[in-house]
Amino acid sequence: MRRTLPRRWACLVLGGALLMPYMMVGVLISGLVHGESANLLLPAQVGVFAAVLPVVAVTGLFLPVRGLSVNAAQGLLGARVETPPRQAGRSWQERRRTAAWFTLHLAVGGVVSGFTLAIVPFTMFTLVLPVTGRSTPVLGFLVTPGWNAVAWAAGGLVLLAALVAIAACAGELLARLAPVLLGPTPTERLAAAEEHARTLAERNRLARELHDSVGHALSVVTLQAAAAGRVLDRDPATARTALAAIEQSARTALEDLDHVLGVLRDDRDERDERDERTNRGDRDGHDRSRGNSGSADSSQADSGRDRSGGGGSGGSGSDSPGSGVGSGRSHDSPGSAGRVFANDADRADRADRADRVGRAGRAALAPQATLADLDALVAASGAPVRQEVGDLAGVPAVVSREAYRILQEALTNAIKHGTGPVRLTAAVEGDDLRLEVANGGPKGTADRTGTRDARARGRERTRTGGRGVAGMHERVRLLRGELEAGPTDTGWRVSARLPLRSSP
């Protein structure tokens, strides 16, 4: 309480200072109405105080005072007010809560400020009475030297203690009400929860895409690398074809990885910015002043160590072209050249960070793969695939993107867990998109050993808890379609039906 009382008292005085313009205007209007001269230096009329509070409430309804109030509550009152989310417009529920807080802050702050302006000088005056040695009129009473003056001094101290208690209680009241009135409204909490749910859904979708893309690429790389190793000596052309398939698959997976990481990095930056804004508001004034005074001394010493030591490591990176120049300058002059090197290192670091952010932003905005990219997908797999693709121009973009990922995972499973050539079918039948990926031809074309191997690999995949089939089921369920996936007599088969139009 003793640590927070000065800051809370300052918050109350701030409320009184904000109330003063309203009080002065109220006293001026009251004097004009009653034909009296207005005393603007001491607007202490109770009627004017009561009359200006509705005006204060209307001001809180329409003026953007919420940010100022939140900062005052966090920095001075020490209240843990959850930072409200940013919204395009202000709801009336938020306006009413802010107006209630603004009115309460100014009303309580005005009363405490008035008591402070009256009691503190009065107490100081009464403390001087016992040492003056002469009679002094105080509030219509004649204070004589001796015990009478001592009694007045004691009364002044009692009033001062009462003022401290009133300020402490008023500050505690405002600190308890600040999270209720200034925190997010139920509507804002609901909007934040919906945004959080959308973020989680997006992250889940990105995780599925990353699994499908990278898993497919690694499967192709593994199989093609093994095939290239077996035929490298006797058939270099086939080996080169396998290596080309490895390169293409790795490039595609890298692009998808850049896309996912770019989106996640943007989301993380926004979340870090919100957390930093909240934490900055939660710090109290004493800690901030102490941190500023300490950082003023330590930042100079730390910056010299970090820039001279960290700059060397930055100069060795290939993404910081200017750091090599900075390190060369640092050897010429250990004095001013060190500062030049620090500036060069800072510029190089900012340029490198900007380049990474730019690449992440371009990757995040890159178009996602659709059924139009099936030829590239099949070519990158390096496996013998027979395509039976119909006219897919009328497939909606959402269905096309999900169908591409389903076919990608199905092709991966067919290559990993099946035997023989792969048949890929994609065609529109009525209001549905039909997808099928299977190994081999009709039933019975594979021998029993191959059948047993395919079934064994399918069971092993089920035991290891692979996420590919689960991801396909989730995609199909979101589109309200149907999916069949699993080992067959000829290897592996995935069949899906996706509605082209969502049904109610």
Side-chain angles (χ1 to χ4, degrees):
M1 177 66 70
R2 287 181 297 177
R3 293 185 58 186
T4 59
L5 180 59
R7 291 185 289 111
R8 290 183 175 181
W9 207 327
C11 183
L12 294 169
V13 173
L14 174 63
L18 294 175
L19 182 67
M20 283 301 295
Y22 298 93
M23 291 293 296
M24 289 183 177
V25 173
V27 170
L28 179 61
I29 295 176
S30 175
L32 294 177
V33 170
H34 294 88
E36 302 174 354
S37 60
N39 184 7
L40 298 180
L41 297 179
L42 188 62
Q45 291 88 340
V46 178
V48 174
F49 175 78
V52 300
L53 289 182
V55 181
V56 174
V58 173
T59 303
L61 281 176
F62 295 99
L63 292 184
V65 297
R66 190 183 192 183
L68 173 65
S69 300
V70 170
N71 291 333
Q74 291 176 338
L76 297 177
L77 294 177
R80 299 190 61 85
V81 181
E82 184 179 351
T83 303
R86 294 181 180 178
Q87 289 187 338
R90 300 176 62 192
S91 64
W92 280 104
Q93 187 180 22
E94 180 267 326
R95 290 173 185 266
R96 288 192 294 269
R97 290 156 60 104
T98 302
W101 163 263
F102 190 64
T103 305
L104 180 64
H105 182 200
L106 269 63
V108 176
V111 172
V112 174
S113 298
F115 285 165
T116 302
L117 292 175
I119 293 177
V120 173
F122 176 78
T123 302
M124 296 177 63
F125 178 76
T126 57
L127 291 177
V128 178
L129 292 178
V131 298
T132 58
R134 63 174 181 269
S135 300
T136 305
V138 178
L139 299 178
F141 298 94
L142 183 64
V143 180
T144 59
W147 289 106
N148 190 11
V150 172
W152 276 91
L157 292 176
V158 171
L159 286 178
L160 184 62
L163 174 63
V164 172
I166 292 174
C169 294
E172 182 65 23
L173 174 65
L174 293 182
R176 290 180 179 273
L177 292 178
V180 178
L181 297 177
L182 296 178
T185 63
T187 302
E188 292 173 336
R189 292 184 184 277
L190 179 60
E194 292 176 350
E195 179 64 24
H196 182 63
R198 284 193 295 268
T199 301
L200 291 180
E202 178 66 14
R203 291 170 69 89
N204 190 26
R205 182 186 68 82
L206 292 174
R208 290 198 308 267
E209 290 191 0
L210 188 61
H211 169 272
D212 295 345
S213 177
V214 176
H216 172 77
L218 291 179
S219 300
V220 171
V221 167
T222 301
L223 295 175
Q224 294 298 329
R230 286 195 299 266
V231 301
L232 180 61
D233 295 331
R234 66 176 183 272
D235 193 353
T238 302
R240 282 194 295 270
T241 302
L243 293 177
I246 291 174
E247 179 184 5
Q248 180 61 31
S249 298
R251 289 182 183 276
T252 303
L254 183 60
E255 291 176 358
D256 291 341
L257 184 62
D258 284 340
H259 168 73
V260 173
L261 293 181
V263 174
L264 294 180
R265 184 179 292 113
D266 291 342
D267 177 68
R268 184 189 63 187
D269 292 341
E270 292 178 1
R271 187 171 60 255
D272 291 344
E273 182 181 353
R274 289 195 300 268
D275 294 342
E276 181 182 358
R277 189 167 59 248
T278 302
N279 293 334
R280 185 168 57 246
D282 288 341
R283 299 191 194 101
D284 55 62
H286 175 70
D287 292 339
R288 279 182 294 187
S289 62
R290 183 175 58 184
N292 291 334
S293 62
S295 62
D297 298 330
S298 62
S299 61
Q300 297 179 356
D302 291 342
S303 62
R305 290 194 300 269
D306 293 341
R307 292 174 180 172
S308 60
S313 61
S316 61
S318 58
D319 293 337
S320 302
S323 58
V325 178
S327 61
R329 292 176 182 174
S330 66
H331 290 291
D332 295 338
S333 173
S336 60
R339 292 190 296 272
V340 174
F341 164 72
N343 293 333
D344 290 344
D346 287 344
R347 285 194 295 267
D349 181 68
R350 288 195 296 268
D352 179 60
R353 189 182 301 112
D355 179 65
R356 291 197 303 269
V357 172
R359 283 188 279 115
R362 290 192 297 270
L365 297 177
Q368 302 180 35
T370 63
L371 291 176
D373 303 308
L374 277 181
D375 291 337
L377 175 65
V378 172
S381 68
V385 179
R386 185 175 75 254
Q387 299 186 62
E388 299 176 2
V389 181
D391 184 11
L392 305 178
V395 178
V398 175
V399 179
S400 181
R401 289 194 297 267
E402 299 300 327
Y404 175 88
R405 294 301 182 185
I406 293 173
L407 290 176
Q408 185 183 49
E409 178 62 26
L411 186 59
T412 301
N413 291 333
I415 295 174
K416 288 176 59 177
H417 309 294
T419 58
V422 180
R423 176 172 52 86
L424 186 152
T425 303
V428 175
E429 297 181 3
D431 294 333
D432 299 328
L433 173 64
R434 298 283 181 173
L435 306 174
E436 185 176 6
V437 175
N439 291 98
K443 274 187 162 186
T445 58
D447 58 16
R448 294 182 180 179
T449 302
T451 302
R452 287 195 299 268
D453 292 342
R455 291 185 182 274
R457 285 191 293 266
R459 288 192 297 270
E460 178 65 24
R461 186 179 188 278
T462 303
R463 286 196 299 269
T464 56
R467 293 294 304 165
V469 176
M472 287 192 293
H473 276 290
E474 188 171 355
R475 293 178 188 274
V476 172
R477 184 174 63 253
L478 291 175
L479 295 176
R480 300 184 179 181
E482 299 175 355
L483 176 74
E484 295 179 1
T488 64
D489 293 339
T490 60
W492 192 271
R493 177 177 178 272
V494 174
S495 177
R497 179 190 65 82
L498 304 178
L500 297 180
R501 301 290 183 271
S502 61
S503 57

